[in-house]
Coordinates of all heavy atoms in Angstrom, one line a residue:
M1 N -29.9 33.7 31.9 CA -30.1 32.7 30.8 C -29.1 32.8 29.7 O -28.6 31.7 29.3 CB -31.6 33.0 30.3 CG -32.1 31.9 29.4 SD -32.7 30.6 30.4 CE -34.0 30.1 29.5
V2 N -28.8 33.9 29.2 CA -27.8 34.1 28.2 C -26.5 33.8 28.7 O -25.6 33.1 28.0 CB -27.9 35.6 27.6 CG1 -26.7 35.8 26.6 CG2 -29.2 35.8 26.9
L3 N -26.2 34.2 30.0 CA -24.9 33.9 30.6 C -24.7 32.4 30.8 O -23.6 31.9 30.5 CB -24.9 34.6 31.9 CG -23.5 34.6 32.6 CD1 -22.5 35.3 31.7 CD2 -23.6 35.4 33.9
G4 N -25.7 31.7 31.0 CA -25.6 30.2 31.2 C -25.2 29.5 29.9 O -24.4 28.6 29.7
G5 N -25.8 30.1 28.8 CA -25.5 29.5 27.4 C -24.1 29.8 27.0 O -23.4 29.0 26.4
I6 N -23.6 31.0 27.3 CA -22.2 31.4 27.0 C -21.3 30.5 27.8 O -20.3 30.0 27.3 CB -22.0 32.9 27.2 CG1 -22.8 33.7 26.2 CG2 -20.5 33.2 27.1 CD1 -22.8 35.2 26.4
A7 N -21.6 30.3 29.1 CA -20.7 29.5 29.9 C -20.6 28.1 29.5 O -19.6 27.5 29.5 CB -21.2 29.6 31.4
A8 N -21.8 27.5 29.0 CA -21.8 26.2 28.5 C -20.9 26.1 27.3 O -20.2 25.1 27.1 CB -23.2 25.7 28.2
K9 N -21.0 27.0 26.4 CA -20.2 27.0 25.2 C -18.7 27.2 25.5 O -17.8 26.5 24.9 CB -20.6 28.1 24.2 CG -21.9 27.8 23.5 CD -22.1 28.7 22.4 CE -23.4 28.5 21.7 NZ -23.4 27.9 20.4
A10 N -18.4 28.0 26.5 CA -17.0 28.2 26.9 C -16.5 26.9 27.5 O -15.3 26.5 27.2 CB -16.9 29.3 28.0
V11 N -17.2 26.2 28.3 CA -16.8 24.9 28.9 C -16.5 23.9 27.7 O -15.5 23.2 27.8 CB -17.8 24.4 29.9 CG1 -17.5 22.9 30.3 CG2 -17.9 25.3 31.1
G12 N -17.4 23.9 26.8 CA -17.2 23.0 25.6 C -15.9 23.3 24.9 O -15.2 22.4 24.4
V13 N -15.6 24.6 24.7 CA -14.4 25.0 24.0 C -13.2 24.6 24.8 O -12.2 24.1 24.3 CB -14.4 26.6 23.7 CG1 -13.1 27.0 23.2 CG2 -15.5 26.8 22.7
V14 N -13.2 24.7 26.1 CA -12.1 24.4 27.0 C -11.9 22.9 26.9 O -10.7 22.4 26.8 CB -12.3 24.9 28.4 CG1 -11.3 24.3 29.4 CG2 -12.3 26.5 28.4
V15 N -12.9 22.1 27.0 CA -12.8 20.7 27.0 C -12.2 20.2 25.7 O -11.3 19.4 25.6 CB -14.2 20.0 27.3 CG1 -14.2 18.5 27.0 CG2 -14.6 20.2 28.7
T16 N -12.7 20.8 24.6 CA -12.2 20.4 23.3 C -10.7 20.8 23.2 O -9.9 20.0 22.6 CB -13.0 21.2 22.2 OG1 -14.3 20.9 22.2 CG2 -12.5 20.9 20.8
G17 N -10.3 22.0 23.7 CA -8.9 22.3 23.7 C -8.0 21.4 24.5 O -6.9 21.0 24.0
V18 N -8.5 21.1 25.6 CA -7.7 20.1 26.5 C -7.6 18.7 25.8 O -6.5 18.2 25.8 CB -8.4 20.0 27.9 CG1 -7.7 18.9 28.7 CG2 -8.2 21.3 28.6
A19 N -8.6 18.3 25.2 CA -8.6 17.0 24.5 C -7.7 17.1 23.4 O -6.8 16.1 23.1 CB -10.0 16.6 24.1
G20 N -7.7 18.1 22.6 CA -6.8 18.3 21.5 C -5.3 18.4 21.9 O -4.4 17.8 21.3
A21 N -5.0 19.1 23.0 CA -3.7 19.1 23.5 C -3.2 17.8 24.0 O -2.0 17.4 23.8 CB -3.6 20.1 24.7
A22 N -4.1 17.0 24.6 CA -3.7 15.7 25.1 C -3.4 14.8 23.9 O -2.4 14.0 23.9 CB -4.8 15.0 25.9
V23 N -4.2 14.8 22.8 CA -3.9 14.0 21.6 C -2.6 14.5 21.0 O -1.8 13.6 20.6 CB -5.1 14.2 20.6 CG1 -4.8 13.6 19.3 CG2 -6.3 13.5 21.2
Y24 N -2.4 15.7 20.9 CA -1.1 16.3 20.3 C 0.1 15.8 21.1 O 1.0 15.4 20.5 CB -1.2 17.8 20.3 CG 0.1 18.4 19.8 CD1 0.3 18.5 18.4 CD2 1.0 19.0 20.6 CE1 1.5 19.0 17.9 CE2 2.1 19.6 20.1 CZ 2.4 19.6 18.8 OH 3.5 20.2 18.3
D25 N 0.0 15.9 22.4 CA 1.1 15.4 23.2 C 1.3 13.9 23.1 O 2.5 13.4 23.0 CB 0.9 15.7 24.7 CG 1.0 17.1 25.1 OD1 1.7 17.9 24.2 OD2 0.5 17.6 26.1
G26 N 0.3 13.2 22.9 CA 0.4 11.7 22.7 C 1.0 11.4 21.4 O 1.9 10.5 21.3
V27 N 0.6 12.1 20.4 CA 1.3 11.9 19.0 C 2.7 12.3 19.1 O 3.6 11.5 18.5 CB 0.5 12.7 18.0 CG1 1.3 12.7 16.6 CG2 -0.9 12.2 17.7
K28 N 3.1 13.3 19.7 CA 4.5 13.7 19.9 C 5.3 12.6 20.6 O 6.4 12.2 20.2 CB 4.6 15.0 20.7 CG 4.5 16.2 19.8 CD 4.8 17.6 20.4 CE 5.2 17.6 21.8 NZ 5.4 18.9 22.4
R29 N 4.7 12.0 21.7 CA 5.4 11.0 22.4 C 5.6 9.8 21.6 O 6.7 9.2 21.5 CB 4.6 10.6 23.7 CG 5.3 10.9 24.9 CD 4.5 10.5 26.2 NE 3.8 11.7 26.6 CZ 2.5 11.7 26.9 NH1 1.8 10.6 26.8 NH2 1.9 12.8 27.3
V30 N 4.6 9.4 20.8 CA 4.7 8.2 19.9 C 5.8 8.4 18.8 O 6.6 7.6 18.5 CB 3.3 7.8 19.3 CG1 3.5 6.8 18.1 CG2 2.4 7.3 20.3
A31 N 5.8 9.7 18.3 CA 6.8 10.0 17.2 C 8.2 9.9 17.8 O 9.1 9.4 17.1 CB 6.4 11.3 16.7
R32 N 8.4 10.4 19.0 CA 9.7 10.4 19.6 C 10.1 9.0 20.0 O 11.3 8.7 20.0 CB 9.7 11.3 20.8 CG 9.7 12.8 20.5 CD 9.9 13.6 21.7 NE 9.6 15.0 21.5 CZ 9.0 15.7 22.4 NH1 8.7 15.3 23.6 NH2 8.7 16.9 22.1
S33 N 9.2 8.2 20.3 CA 9.6 6.8 20.8 C 10.1 5.9 19.7 O 10.7 4.9 20.0 CB 8.4 6.2 21.4 OG 7.5 5.8 20.5
G34 N 10.0 6.2 18.5 CA 10.4 5.4 17.4 C 9.5 4.4 16.9 O 9.7 3.6 16.0
V35 N 8.3 4.3 17.5 CA 7.3 3.3 17.2 C 6.8 3.6 15.7 O 6.6 2.7 14.9 CB 6.1 3.3 18.2 CG1 4.9 2.5 17.7 CG2 6.6 2.9 19.5
F36 N 6.6 4.9 15.5 CA 6.1 5.3 14.1 C 7.1 4.9 13.1 O 6.8 4.4 12.0 CB 5.8 6.8 14.1 CG 5.3 7.2 12.8 CD1 4.0 6.9 12.4 CD2 6.1 8.0 11.9 CE1 3.5 7.3 11.1 CE2 5.6 8.4 10.7 CZ 4.3 8.1 10.3
R37 N 8.4 5.2 13.3 CA 9.5 4.9 12.4 C 9.6 3.3 12.2 O 9.7 2.9 11.0 CB 10.8 5.4 12.8 CG 11.9 5.2 11.9 CD 13.2 5.8 12.3 NE 14.3 5.4 11.4 CZ 14.6 6.0 10.3 NH1 13.9 7.0 9.9 NH2 15.6 5.6 9.6
S38 N 9.5 2.6 13.2 CA 9.6 1.2 13.1 C 8.5 0.6 12.3 O 8.6 -0.2 11.5 CB 9.6 0.6 14.5 OG 9.6 -0.9 14.5
A39 N 7.3 1.1 12.6 CA 6.1 0.6 11.8 C 6.3 1.0 10.3 O 5.9 0.2 9.4 CB 4.8 1.3 12.3
T40 N 6.8 2.2 10.0 CA 7.0 2.7 8.7 C 8.0 1.7 8.0 O 7.8 1.3 6.8 CB 7.5 4.1 8.6 OG1 6.5 4.9 9.3 CG2 7.7 4.6 7.2
V41 N 9.1 1.4 8.7 CA 10.1 0.5 8.1 C 9.5 -0.9 7.8 O 9.7 -1.5 6.8 CB 11.3 0.4 9.0 CG1 12.3 -0.7 8.6 CG2 12.0 1.7 9.1
T42 N 8.7 -1.4 8.7 CA 8.1 -2.7 8.5 C 7.2 -2.7 7.3 O 7.2 -3.6 6.5 CB 7.3 -3.1 9.8 OG1 8.2 -3.1 10.9 CG2 6.6 -4.4 9.7
V43 N 6.3 -1.7 7.2 CA 5.4 -1.6 6.1 C 6.2 -1.5 4.8 O 5.8 -2.1 3.8 CB 4.4 -0.4 6.3 CG1 3.6 -0.2 5.0 CG2 3.5 -0.7 7.4
T44 N 7.2 -0.7 4.8 CA 8.1 -0.6 3.6 C 8.7 -1.9 3.2 O 8.8 -2.3 2.0 CB 9.2 0.5 3.8 OG1 8.5 1.7 4.1 CG2 10.0 0.7 2.5
A45 N 9.2 -2.7 4.2 CA 9.8 -3.9 3.9 C 8.7 -4.9 3.3 O 9.0 -5.6 2.4 CB 10.3 -4.6 5.3
W46 N 7.5 -4.9 3.8 CA 6.5 -5.7 3.2 C 6.2 -5.3 1.8 O 6.0 -6.1 0.9 CB 5.2 -5.5 4.1 CG 5.2 -6.1 5.4 CD1 6.0 -7.1 5.9 CD2 4.2 -5.9 6.4 NE1 5.7 -7.4 7.2 CE2 4.6 -6.7 7.5 CE3 3.1 -5.1 6.5 CZ2 3.9 -6.6 8.7 CZ3 2.4 -5.0 7.7 CH2 2.8 -5.8 8.8
G47 N 6.2 -4.0 1.5 CA 6.0 -3.5 0.2 C 7.2 -4.0 -0.7 O 6.9 -4.4 -1.9
L48 N 8.4 -4.0 -0.3 CA 9.5 -4.4 -1.1 C 9.4 -5.9 -1.4 O 9.6 -6.4 -2.5 CB 10.8 -4.1 -0.4 CG 11.3 -2.7 -0.4 CD1 12.5 -2.5 0.5 CD2 11.5 -2.2 -1.8
K49 N 9.0 -6.7 -0.4 CA 8.8 -8.1 -0.6 C 7.7 -8.4 -1.6 O 7.8 -9.2 -2.5 CB 8.4 -8.8 0.7 CG 9.6 -9.0 1.7 CD 9.2 -9.7 2.9 CE 10.4 -9.8 3.9 NZ 10.0 -10.5 5.2
G50 N 6.6 -7.6 -1.5 CA 5.5 -7.8 -2.5 C 6.0 -7.4 -3.9 O 5.6 -8.1 -4.9
A51 N 6.8 -6.3 -4.0 CA 7.2 -5.9 -5.3 C 8.2 -7.0 -5.9 O 8.1 -7.3 -7.1 CB 8.0 -4.6 -5.2
R52 N 9.0 -7.6 -5.1 CA 9.9 -8.6 -5.5 C 9.1 -9.8 -6.0 O 9.4 -10.4 -7.1 CB 10.9 -9.1 -4.5 CG 11.8 -8.0 -4.0 CD 12.8 -7.6 -5.1 NE 13.8 -6.6 -4.6 CZ 13.6 -5.3 -4.6 NH1 12.5 -4.8 -5.0 NH2 14.6 -4.5 -4.1
A53 N 8.1 -10.2 -5.3 CA 7.2 -11.3 -5.7 C 6.5 -11.0 -7.0 O 6.4 -11.9 -7.9 CB 6.2 -11.7 -4.6
A54 N 6.0 -9.8 -7.1 CA 5.4 -9.4 -8.4 C 6.4 -9.4 -9.6 O 6.0 -9.9 -10.7 CB 4.7 -8.0 -8.3
E55 N 7.6 -9.0 -9.4 CA 8.6 -9.0 -10.4 C 8.9 -10.4 -10.8 O 9.0 -10.7 -12.0 CB 9.9 -8.3 -10.0 CG 9.7 -6.8 -9.8 CD 11.0 -6.2 -9.2 OE1 11.9 -6.9 -8.7 OE2 11.0 -4.9 -9.0
T56 N 9.0 -11.3 -9.8 CA 9.3 -12.7 -10.1 C 8.2 -13.3 -10.9 O 8.4 -14.1 -11.9 CB 9.5 -13.5 -8.8 OG1 10.6 -12.9 -8.1 CG2 9.8 -14.9 -9.1
G57 N 7.0 -13.1 -10.5 CA 5.8 -13.6 -11.2 C 5.7 -13.0 -12.7 O 5.4 -13.8 -13.6
A58 N 6.0 -11.8 -12.8 CA 6.0 -11.2 -14.2 C 7.1 -11.8 -15.1 O 6.8 -12.1 -16.2 CB 6.2 -9.7 -14.1
E59 N 8.2 -12.1 -14.5 CA 9.3 -12.7 -15.3 C 8.9 -14.1 -15.7 O 9.1 -14.5 -16.8 CB 10.6 -12.7 -14.5 CG 11.8 -13.2 -15.2 CD 12.3 -12.4 -16.4 OE1 11.7 -11.2 -16.6 OE2 13.1 -12.9 -17.2
K60 N 8.3 -14.8 -14.8 CA 7.8 -16.2 -15.2 C 6.8 -16.2 -16.3 O 6.8 -17.0 -17.2 CB 7.2 -16.9 -13.9 CG 8.3 -17.3 -12.9 CD 7.7 -18.0 -11.8 CE 8.7 -18.4 -10.7 NZ 8.2 -19.1 -9.6
V61 N 5.9 -15.2 -16.2 CA 4.9 -15.1 -17.2 C 5.6 -14.7 -18.6 O 5.2 -15.2 -19.6 CB 3.8 -14.1 -16.9 CG1 3.0 -13.7 -18.1 CG2 3.0 -14.6 -15.7
R62 N 6.5 -13.8 -18.6 CA 7.2 -13.3 -19.8 C 7.9 -14.5 -20.4 O 7.8 -14.8 -21.7 CB 8.2 -12.2 -19.4 CG 8.9 -11.6 -20.7 CD 10.0 -10.7 -20.4 NE 11.2 -11.5 -19.8 CZ 12.1 -12.1 -20.5 NH1 11.9 -12.3 -21.8 NH2 13.1 -12.7 -19.9
L63 N 8.7 -15.4 -19.5 CA 9.4 -16.5 -20.1 C 8.4 -17.6 -20.7 O 8.7 -18.1 -21.8 CB 10.3 -17.1 -19.0 CG 11.4 -16.3 -18.6 CD1 12.1 -16.9 -17.4 CD2 12.4 -16.1 -19.8
A64 N 7.3 -17.8 -20.0 CA 6.3 -18.8 -20.5 C 5.7 -18.3 -21.8 O 5.5 -19.1 -22.7 CB 5.2 -19.0 -19.4
T65 N 5.5 -17.0 -21.9 CA 4.9 -16.5 -23.2 C 5.9 -16.6 -24.3 O 5.5 -17.0 -25.4 CB 4.5 -15.0 -22.9 OG1 3.6 -14.9 -21.9 CG2 3.9 -14.4 -24.2
A66 N 7.2 -16.3 -24.0 CA 8.2 -16.5 -25.0 C 8.3 -17.9 -25.5 O 8.6 -18.2 -26.7 CB 9.5 -15.9 -24.5
D67 N 8.2 -18.8 -24.5 CA 8.3 -20.3 -24.9 C 7.2 -20.7 -25.9 O 7.3 -21.4 -26.8 CB 8.3 -21.2 -23.6 CG 9.6 -21.1 -22.9 OD1 10.6 -20.6 -23.4 OD2 9.6 -21.6 -21.7
V68 N 5.9 -20.2 -25.5 CA 4.8 -20.5 -26.3 C 5.0 -20.0 -27.7 O 4.7 -20.6 -28.7 CB 3.4 -20.1 -25.6 CG1 2.3 -20.1 -26.6 CG2 3.2 -20.8 -24.4
L69 N 5.4 -18.7 -27.7 CA 5.6 -18.0 -29.1 C 6.6 -18.7 -29.9 O 6.5 -18.9 -31.1 CB 5.9 -16.5 -28.8 CG 6.1 -15.6 -30.0 CD1 4.8 -15.6 -30.8 CD2 6.4 -14.2 -29.6
S70 N 7.7 -19.1 -29.2 CA 8.7 -19.8 -30.0 C 8.3 -21.2 -30.5 O 8.5 -21.5 -31.7 CB 9.9 -20.0 -29.0 OG 10.9 -20.8 -29.6
E71 N 7.5 -21.8 -29.7 CA 7.0 -23.2 -30.2 C 6.0 -23.0 -31.3 O 6.0 -23.7 -32.3 CB 6.3 -23.9 -29.0 CG 5.9 -25.3 -29.3 CD 5.3 -26.1 -28.2 OE1 5.6 -25.7 -27.0 OE2 4.5 -27.0 -28.4
A72 N 5.2 -22.0 -31.2 CA 4.2 -21.7 -32.3 C 4.9 -21.4 -33.6 O 4.5 -21.8 -34.7 CB 3.3 -20.5 -31.9
R73 N 6.0 -20.5 -33.5 CA 6.7 -20.2 -34.7 C 7.4 -21.4 -35.3 O 7.5 -21.6 -36.5 CB 7.8 -19.2 -34.4 CG 7.3 -17.8 -34.2 CD 8.4 -16.8 -34.1 NE 7.9 -15.5 -34.2 CZ 8.4 -14.4 -33.6 NH1 9.5 -14.5 -32.9 NH2 7.8 -13.2 -33.8
E74 N 7.9 -22.3 -34.5 CA 8.5 -23.6 -34.9 C 7.5 -24.4 -35.6 O 7.8 -25.1 -36.7 CB 9.1 -24.3 -33.7 CG 9.9 -25.6 -34.1 CD 10.4 -26.2 -32.8 OE1 11.0 -25.6 -32.0 OE2 10.1 -27.5 -32.6
R75 N 6.3 -24.5 -35.1 CA 5.2 -25.3 -35.7 C 4.9 -24.8 -37.2 O 4.5 -25.6 -38.0 CB 4.0 -25.3 -34.9 CG 4.1 -26.3 -33.7 CD 2.8 -26.4 -33.0 NE 2.9 -27.2 -31.8 CZ 1.9 -27.5 -31.0 NH1 0.7 -27.0 -31.3 NH2 2.1 -28.2 -29.9
I76 N 4.9 -23.5 -37.4 CA 4.5 -23.0 -38.7 C 5.7 -22.9 -39.6 O 5.7 -22.4 -40.7 CB 3.8 -21.7 -38.6 CG1 4.6 -20.6 -38.0 CG2 2.5 -21.9 -37.9 CD1 4.0 -19.2 -38.1
G77 N 6.9 -23.3 -39.1 CA 8.2 -23.3 -40.0 C 8.9 -22.0 -40.0 O 9.7 -21.8 -40.8
E78 N 8.5 -21.1 -39.1 CA 9.2 -19.7 -39.0 C 10.4 -19.9 -38.1 O 10.4 -20.6 -37.1 CB 8.3 -18.8 -38.4 CG 7.9 -17.6 -39.3 CD 7.1 -16.6 -38.6 OE1 7.4 -16.0 -37.5 OE2 6.0 -16.3 -39.2
Q79 N 11.5 -19.2 -38.5 CA 12.6 -19.2 -37.6 C 12.4 -18.0 -36.5 O 12.0 -16.9 -36.9 CB 13.9 -18.9 -38.3 CG 14.9 -20.0 -38.2 CD 16.2 -19.6 -38.9 OE1 16.3 -18.6 -39.6 NE2 17.1 -20.5 -38.7
A80 N 12.7 -18.3 -35.3 CA 12.6 -17.3 -34.2 C 13.7 -16.3 -34.5 O 14.9 -16.6 -34.8 CB 12.7 -17.9 -32.9
P81 N 13.4 -15.0 -34.3 CA 14.5 -14.0 -34.4 C 15.5 -14.1 -33.3 O 15.3 -14.7 -32.2 CB 13.7 -12.6 -34.2 CG 12.5 -13.0 -33.5 CD 12.2 -14.4 -33.9
V82 N 16.7 -13.7 -33.6 CA 17.8 -13.7 -32.6 C 17.4 -12.8 -31.4 O 16.9 -11.7 -31.6 CB 19.1 -13.2 -33.2 CG1 20.2 -13.1 -32.2 CG2 19.5 -14.1 -34.4
P83 N 17.6 -13.3 -30.2 CA 17.3 -12.4 -29.0 C 18.0 -11.1 -29.1 O 19.1 -11.0 -29.3 CB 17.7 -13.2 -27.9 CG 17.7 -14.7 -28.3 CD 18.1 -14.6 -29.7
G84 N 17.2 -10.0 -28.9 CA 17.8 -8.7 -28.9 C 17.8 -8.0 -30.2 O 18.1 -6.9 -30.4
A85 N 17.5 -8.8 -31.3 CA 17.5 -8.2 -32.6 C 16.2 -7.5 -32.9 O 15.1 -8.0 -32.5 CB 17.6 -9.3 -33.7
Q86 N 16.2 -6.3 -33.5 CA 15.0 -5.6 -33.7 C 14.4 -6.1 -35.0 O 15.1 -6.4 -36.0 CB 15.3 -4.1 -33.8 CG 15.7 -3.4 -32.5 CD 15.9 -2.0 -32.7 OE1 16.0 -1.4 -33.8 NE2 15.9 -1.3 -31.6
A87 N 13.2 -6.2 -35.0 CA 12.4 -6.6 -36.2 C 12.4 -5.4 -37.2 O 11.9 -4.3 -36.8 CB 11.0 -7.1 -35.9
G88 N 13.0 -5.5 -38.3 CA 13.0 -4.4 -39.3 C 11.6 -4.3 -40.0 O 10.7 -5.1 -39.8
H89 N 11.5 -3.3 -40.8 CA 10.2 -3.1 -41.5 C 10.4 -3.2 -43.0 O 9.7 -2.6 -43.8 CB 9.6 -1.7 -41.1 CG 10.5 -0.5 -41.2 ND1 11.2 -0.1 -40.1 CD2 10.8 0.3 -42.2 CE1 11.9 0.9 -40.4 NE2 11.7 1.2 -41.7
G90 N 11.4 -4.0 -43.4 CA 11.5 -4.4 -44.8 C 12.4 -3.6 -45.7 O 12.6 -4.0 -46.9
H91 N 13.0 -2.5 -45.2 CA 13.9 -1.7 -46.1 C 15.0 -1.0 -45.3 O 14.8 -0.8 -44.1 CB 13.1 -0.8 -47.0 CG 12.4 0.3 -46.2 ND1 11.1 0.2 -45.7 CD2 12.8 1.6 -45.9 CE1 10.8 1.2 -45.1 NE2 11.8 2.2 -45.2
E92 N 16.0 -0.5 -46.0 CA 17.0 0.3 -45.2 C 16.8 1.7 -45.4 O 16.1 2.2 -46.3 CB 18.4 -0.1 -45.8 CG 18.8 -1.5 -45.6 CD 20.2 -1.7 -46.1 OE1 21.0 -0.8 -46.3 OE2 20.6 -3.0 -46.4
H93 N 17.3 2.5 -44.5 CA 17.2 4.0 -44.6 C 18.4 4.6 -45.1 O 19.5 4.3 -45.0 CB 16.9 4.6 -43.2 CG 15.5 4.3 -42.8 ND1 14.5 5.2 -42.7 CD2 14.9 3.1 -42.4 CE1 13.4 4.7 -42.3 NE2 13.6 3.4 -42.1

């Protein structure tokens, strides 16, 4: 009775080991074949395209906001500051 239980556990351990080895060998084969690298490059390219699209969108929003701010200043009679000029705080150091 006890021997049967031990044998059943041993068979389970062997089956688990064989399955693990097969998975490991499969992963090694896929890694060597270049499929993993190709997929990684593809995903990275998608990420770069997405980042470029986000940058373009952010630049459009920035320009639209600057246009609105400029028009609002014009309406109240304020002159827009020169691009790149820092807004001072009223006195020299």
Side-chain angles (χ1 to χ4, degrees):
M1 193 76 144
V2 173
L3 191 56
I6 292 174
K9 286 194 184 248
V11 168
V13 169
V14 169
V15 168
T16 301
V18 168
V23 168
Y24 177 76
D25 287 342
V27 169
K28 274 186 2 183
R29 241 180 270 129
V30 168
R32 284 188 197 144
S33 73
V35 171
F36 181 72
R37 180 176 175 85
S38 177
T40 302
V41 170
T42 299
V43 169
T44 303
W46 290 344
L48 287 172
K49 285 180 183 180
R52 297 295 185 268
E55 289 170 358
T56 301
E59 184 65 11
K60 286 180 181 180
V61 168
R62 187 190 68 78
L63 290 172
T65 303
D67 286 346
V68 168
L69 185 58
S70 177
E71 187 176 338
R73 282 187 170 153
E74 185 180 307
R75 282 188 186 181
I76 64 171
E78 242 183 57
Q79 237 183 357
V82 178
Q86 291 183 345
H89 50 269
H91 66 274
E92 295 181 24
H93 286 252

